[in-house]
Amino acid sequence: MQPTSIDLAAQVRPDGLMRLSGDVREPVRLGMAELRALPQREVVVTFECRTSGPRRHRFTGPLLLDVVREARPLFDPFERKDRLRFLVSVLGRDGHHAVLSWGEIDPEFGNTEALVAVRLDGDDLDRQGPHLVVPGDRCGGRHISRIAEIRVCADNPLW
């Protein structure tokens, strides 16, 4: 299935850097070195794929929350619930994308330890680029390979 609403040519950087953009104070571009400089976590996930059966993998990388914080989202840091109106959209170089709510990944709310993986089963992902991994997803539906952009959006346009 090819997405029709995304202009991939405008999103994918030839230098391989991942862009953090949207409702943020400091849009940034991050490479694998910058992602490795953040605190690293390791998760083991099992994807229950309908066609290929269960597949188990070990991913290492920073939390999505820590990565997004690098761009300083535009919520009020003194208003605990203000951040709950923010969404995090992750776009892969192949056009696949997934959306998570800030509350889903925030430790004070859902505490889902979604990763921006830089290693898969002990191997560096330098050639592929970072992957989004959402532990607990049954079939890896929100697993995004080769992240091109992470965009933070306030829900204001939704209402």
Side-chain angles (χ1 to χ4, degrees):
M1 177 159 113
Q2 272 304 85
T4 57
S5 62
I6 299 171
D7 180 4
L8 281 178
Q11 305 298 327
V12 176
R13 302 265 315 156
D15 57 14
L17 296 177
M18 177 183 75
R19 182 168 47 188
L20 267 68
S21 65
D23 294 323
V24 297
R25 288 177 179 80
E26 297 178 20
V28 294
R29 297 186 197 288
L30 299 174
M32 297 299 271
E34 290 86 3
L35 293 171
R36 283 193 183 93
L38 294 170
Q40 301 290 292
R41 297 281 179 98
E42 184 173 283
V43 297
V44 176
V45 297
T46 301
F47 298 131
E48 304 259 346
C49 299
R50 191 174 42 191
T51 56
S52 60
R55 295 175 15 204
R56 187 177 172 96
H57 295 287
R58 180 173 39 100
F59 292 94
T60 306
L63 292 174
L64 174 62
L65 184 68
D66 290 341
V67 172
V68 174
R69 283 179 174 158
E70 291 290 303
R72 299 184 49 227
L74 289 173
F75 51 71
D76 182 345
F78 301 106
E79 279 294 323
R80 181 172 170 248
K81 291 187 177 181
D82 188 43
R83 59 189 175 222
L84 292 179
R85 62 188 182 85
F86 282 75
L87 303 172
V88 179
S89 182
V90 181
L91 173 67
R93 295 182 190 283
D94 60 359
H96 288 90
H97 65 281
V99 177
L100 295 92
S101 71
W102 189 276
E104 185 177 359
I105 61 174
D106 191 305
E108 289 190 20
F109 299 99
N111 199 28
T112 298
E113 293 188 337
L115 289 186
V116 176
V118 295
R119 293 179 63 87
L120 166 62
D121 295 329
D123 296 325
D124 288 336
L125 290 170
D126 292 351
R127 286 187 169 186
Q128 295 181 40
H131 291 210
L132 173 68
V133 180
V134 184
D137 275 6
R138 184 170 177 196
C139 67
R142 292 184 287 179
H143 180 114
I144 303 294
S145 300
R146 303 178 318 134
I147 298 171
E149 181 170 2
I150 298 174
R151 187 175 296 166
V152 178
C153 302
D155 72 351
N156 297 344
L158 297 176
W159 304 107

